[in-house]
């Protein structure tokens, strides 16, 4: 199945629905429809602004395509005698049909262009006004700002300034103006997109099938959510994740017309494609991917899968596979995510989240340990601590151990920031150097420390680093030349034996906005919490941003916390609260509930990882 297949299937279903229900609209003065009349008037005034949504059908002929919804939008076909600019404006407007379909948009194209147009290749989401210019048979539309999604729906970031002008060559066919060279993209307004799409995760495995990795993509909202999720998952990983993750769903499979969900919440997934031999182990991994992907549809509680009419065997001989059945393989890794670890008066402390924190019994919990920052493995057994004023990194047991009584020195002589562990107990440490940052990796399987070049972070003025639990994403805070902070991400490629091979190309998670970011932490599998000092020592802002850098269509949290905040405590475990940390308490950022602590001088608090 090609990457564009989910979109293609969706567009085909939308086209069939639109053909069955399209209702002729009255024309203005017998020539121009309401939208084109407005567009033409604005063009004549020298300023054009396309709407954030298309017209809503208010009634008319028989509805043969099922119940109408207030959100449905009919696309208008081109009117006879429309000008070049009206044809281009009508084409752009026709792409806002909802449910998604492009059959009407194709009517604005020449016959040859309509046959070759491939809007499934990408989505362009634009904002602001669109000045239109016409010159020598070409209509140019200037997008003041726009972003791209790839064929699967993954965010690709902002378009460059040189890409923001869309040129449409308009020719005459059968006496009417038609577009001869449309871009191979669905071009839609940000407001329309925001109202009708949501960011979800498609779940794949790391290369050694130890943990599920979420890949964020955008899919249409509505009754077909389960169908959209399965179709997108079958398409395989988005381009940015190629080589980073793997799928155990056989290639070449497609979903039927839809994925029906029963009143009991059971999704019936009927897949079609070439017959393939599937082992019991592969079947379990397939089910885990489907379960974690479909659990994002609140109507789905379980699933059944068939391939070409043959039921996929379910573990234990059950008749349905619960979406909670593969919880142990989830992207947050093992553990419940509730234990808290921190630093108070230079000692490692820990607690269960009720405000009671106690010093650890291992070497880092002793008086005079001099710990400045710490990270703890997901099993809560070992800690990596930075001490000596940030000049040394050591590894030791959290609690006293007769077999390992002393700490192991991993790094010394540098300027190290807070470490971070992934699910495989790989330890990542950022060293700040005058000549540019260095990223260190300690892998217990090799018992060796080495550097990893991370484009966008290595060699920069990086000030902090975190790794995702699945080990495939690194995100850092980078100081820009103007003194503000940018958040930069990079994917990590892991080999077949679980060894880190290299980091991929960088991408911007958040642009520098003239502020200083004092802390960052994972807040769910595909979200990051950022702590920004608005007025250092008294006023801070907490923002939740998408880890892929998406800025449109993402549910974001932004809140203000007062006082002298020491940092954030957050976890990729979805129900673990994000905490603002103070010297004598921590506060649930969402609920605004304070929890006093029974230790003085708290300087760091965090979950394991």
């Amino acid at each position: 199945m090609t990457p564009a297949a989910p979109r293609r299937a969706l567009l085909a279903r939308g086209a069939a629905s639109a053909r069955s229900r399209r209702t002729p609209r009255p024309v203005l003065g017998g020539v121009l429809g309401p939208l084109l009349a407005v567009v033409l008037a604005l063009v004549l005034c020298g300023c054009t602004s396309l709407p954030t949504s298309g017209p809503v059908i208010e009634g008319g002929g028989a509805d043969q395509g099922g119940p109408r919804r207030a959100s449905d939008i009919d696309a208008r076909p081109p009117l006879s005698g429309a000008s070049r600019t009206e044809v281009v404006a009508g084409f752009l407007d026709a792409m806002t049909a909802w449910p998604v379909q492009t059959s009407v948009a194709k009517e604005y194209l020449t016959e040859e262009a309509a046959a070759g147009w491939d809007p499934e290749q990408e989505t362009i989401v634009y904002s602001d006004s669109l000045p239109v210019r016409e010159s020598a048979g070409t209509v140019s539309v200037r997008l003041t700002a726009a972003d791209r999604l790839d064929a699967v729906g993954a965010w690709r970031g902002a378009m460059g300034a040189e890409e923001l002008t869309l040129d449409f060559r308009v020719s005459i066919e059968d006496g009417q103006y038609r577009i001869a060279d449309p871009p191979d993209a669905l071009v839609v307004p940000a407001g329309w997109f925001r109202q009708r799409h949501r960011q979800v995760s498609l779940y794949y495995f790391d290369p050694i099938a130890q943990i599920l990795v979420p890949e964020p993509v955008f899919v249409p909202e509505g009754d077909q959510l389960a169908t959209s999720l399965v179709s997108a998952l079958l398409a395989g990983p988005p381009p940015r994740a190629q080589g980073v993750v793997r799928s155990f769903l056989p290639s070449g499979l497609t979903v039927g017309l839809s994925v029906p969900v029963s009143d009991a919440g059971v999704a019936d997934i009927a897949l079609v494609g070439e017959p393939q031999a599937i082992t019991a182990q592969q079947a379990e991994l397939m089910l885990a991917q489907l379960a974690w992907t479909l659990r994002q549809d609140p109507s789905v509680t379980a699933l059944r899968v068939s391939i070409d009419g043959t039921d996929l065997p379910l573990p234990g001989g059950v008749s349905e596979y619960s979406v909670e059945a593969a919880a142990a393989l989830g992207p947050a890794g093992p553990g419940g995510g509730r234990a808290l670890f921190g630093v108070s008066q230079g000692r490692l402390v820990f607690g269960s989240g009720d405000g009671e924190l106690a010093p650890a019994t291992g070497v880092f919990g002793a008086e005079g340990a001099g710990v400045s920052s710490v990270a703890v493995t997901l099993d809560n057994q070992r800690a990596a601590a930075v001490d000596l004023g940030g000049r040394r990194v050591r590894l030791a047991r959290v609690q006293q151990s007769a077999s390992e009584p002393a700490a192991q020195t991993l790094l010394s002589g540098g300027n190290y920031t807070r470490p971070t562990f992934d699910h495989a107990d790989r330890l990542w440490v950022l060293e700040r150097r005058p000549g540019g940052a260095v990223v260190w990796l300690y892998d217990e399987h090799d018992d060796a420390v080495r550097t990893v070049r991370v484009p966008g972070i290595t060699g920069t003025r990086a000030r902090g680093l975190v790794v995702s639990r699945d080990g495939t994403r690194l995100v850092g805070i980078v100081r820009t030349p103007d003194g503000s902070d940018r958040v930069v991400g990079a994917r990590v490629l892991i080999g077949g034996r679980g060894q880190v091979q290299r980091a991929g190309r960088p991408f911007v998670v958040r642009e520098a906005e003239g502020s200083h970011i004092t802390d960052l932490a994972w807040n769910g599998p595909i979200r990051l919490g950022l702590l920004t000092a608005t007025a250092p020592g008294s006023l801070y802002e907490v923002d939740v941003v998408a880890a892929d850098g998406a800025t449109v269509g993402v549910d974001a949290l932004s809140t203000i916390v007062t006082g002298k905040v020491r940092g954030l405590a957050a976890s990729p475990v979805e129900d673990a609260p994000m905490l603002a940390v103070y010297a004598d308490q921590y506060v649930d950022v969402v609920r605004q509930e304070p929890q006093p602590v029974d230790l003085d001088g708290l300087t760091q608090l965090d979950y394991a990882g």
Side-chain angles (χ1 to χ4, degrees), residues 269-341:
I269 306 171
L271 304 178
V272 295
E274 293 294 327
Q276 301 187 40
I278 297 175
T279 66
Q281 182 182 18
Q282 182 182 0
E284 287 201 46
L285 297 173
M286 291 171 57
L287 290 166
Q289 287 184 242
L290 288 164
W292 270 89
T293 300
L294 278 172
R295 66 192 289 173
Q296 297 166 103
D297 185 335
S299 70
V300 178
T301 60
L303 55 94
R304 289 190 293 259
V305 182
S306 65
I307 300 177
D308 290 327
T310 301
D311 291 338
L312 192 69
L314 303 180
V318 297
S319 60
E320 302 165 357
Y321 188 84
S322 169
V323 295
E324 305 293 334
L329 296 171
R338 293 289 181 178
L340 292 169
F341 296 85

Side-chain angles (χ1 to χ4, degrees), residues 235-593:
R240 191 178 277 177
Q242 296 290 335
V244 177
V245 298
R246 63 183 298 193
S247 177
F248 286 90
L249 291 158
S251 60
L253 293 179
T254 61
V255 70
L257 289 177
S258 66
V259 175
V261 180
S262 71
D263 292 340
V266 180
D268 273 305
I269 306 171
L271 304 178
V272 295
E274 293 294 327
Q276 301 187 40
I278 297 175
T279 66
Q281 182 182 18
Q282 182 182 0
E284 287 201 46
L285 297 173
M286 291 171 57
L287 290 166
Q289 287 184 242
L290 288 164
W292 270 89
T293 300
L294 278 172
R295 66 192 289 173
Q296 297 166 103
D297 185 335
S299 70
V300 178
T301 60
L303 55 94
R304 289 190 293 259
V305 182
S306 65
I307 300 177
D308 290 327
T310 301
D311 291 338
L312 192 69
L314 303 180
V318 297
S319 60
E320 302 165 357
Y321 188 84
S322 169
V323 295
E324 305 293 334
L329 296 171
R338 293 289 181 178
L340 292 169
F341 296 85
V343 177
S344 175
Q345 297 184 345
R347 306 169 70 183
L348 169 62
V349 297
F350 69 98
S352 59
D354 56 3
E356 295 186 7
L357 298 172
T361 59
V363 294
F364 297 143
E367 289 190 24
V371 173
S372 58
S373 64
V374 67
V376 175
T377 55
L378 301 192
D379 61 6
N380 303 331
Q381 297 300 306
R382 292 186 301 159
V386 179
D387 60 6
L388 296 180
R391 311 293 291 180
R392 181 173 64 176
V393 181
R394 293 187 296 162
L395 186 69
R397 291 281 178 179
V398 171
Q399 305 296 359
Q400 187 174 15
S401 171
S403 61
E404 297 181 36
Q408 175 186 1
T409 299
L410 301 180
L411 296 164
S412 62
N415 180 10
Y416 307 106
T417 66
R418 186 176 66 194
T420 177
F421 280 104
D422 63 26
H423 79 102
D425 292 347
R426 291 180 291 251
L427 178 69
W428 299 81
V429 183
L430 178 73
E431 179 187 353
R432 292 179 290 191
R433 293 181 179 178
V438 173
V439 177
W440 293 93
L441 170 67
Y442 170 73
D443 191 331
E444 67 169 356
H445 298 99
D446 300 329
D447 194 24
V449 180
R450 64 183 175 92
T451 61
V452 177
R453 183 179 179 276
V454 182
I457 295 177
T458 298
T460 70
R461 296 170 63 194
R463 303 176 51 252
L465 181 76
V466 293
V467 62
S468 60
R469 290 278 182 89
D470 54 57
T472 71
R473 290 178 172 87
L474 290 174
V475 181
I477 304 170
V478 177
R479 183 63 50 87
T480 61
D482 66 1
S484 59
D485 289 334
R486 172 187 291 127
V487 182
V488 177
R491 302 305 300 272
V492 178
L493 280 74
I494 299 171
R497 295 188 296 108
Q499 76 281 11
V500 171
Q501 294 182 325
R502 62 182 179 87
R505 294 195 306 173
F507 56 91
V508 175
V509 175
R510 179 171 175 171
E511 285 287 1
E513 298 178 350
S515 56
H516 287 178
I517 298 172
T518 60
D519 201 5
L520 79 165
W522 289 97
N523 183 48
I526 59 171
R527 297 285 186 270
L528 287 160
L530 307 179
L531 180 67
T532 303
T534 303
S538 60
L539 193 65
Y540 293 80
E541 184 174 0
V542 178
D543 294 311
V544 175
V545 300
D548 63 344
T551 56
V552 178
V554 176
D555 294 330
L557 166 73
S558 182
T559 188
I560 297 294
V561 290
T562 58
K564 189 174 182 180
V565 183
R566 301 297 180 95
L568 286 179
S571 168
V573 177
E574 291 182 336
D575 61 349
M578 180 164 58
L579 310 173
V581 181
Y582 297 81
D584 58 353
Q585 66 175 347
Y586 51 86
V587 178
D588 186 319
V589 171
V590 174
R591 298 177 181 272
Q592 294 292 306
E593 295 175 350

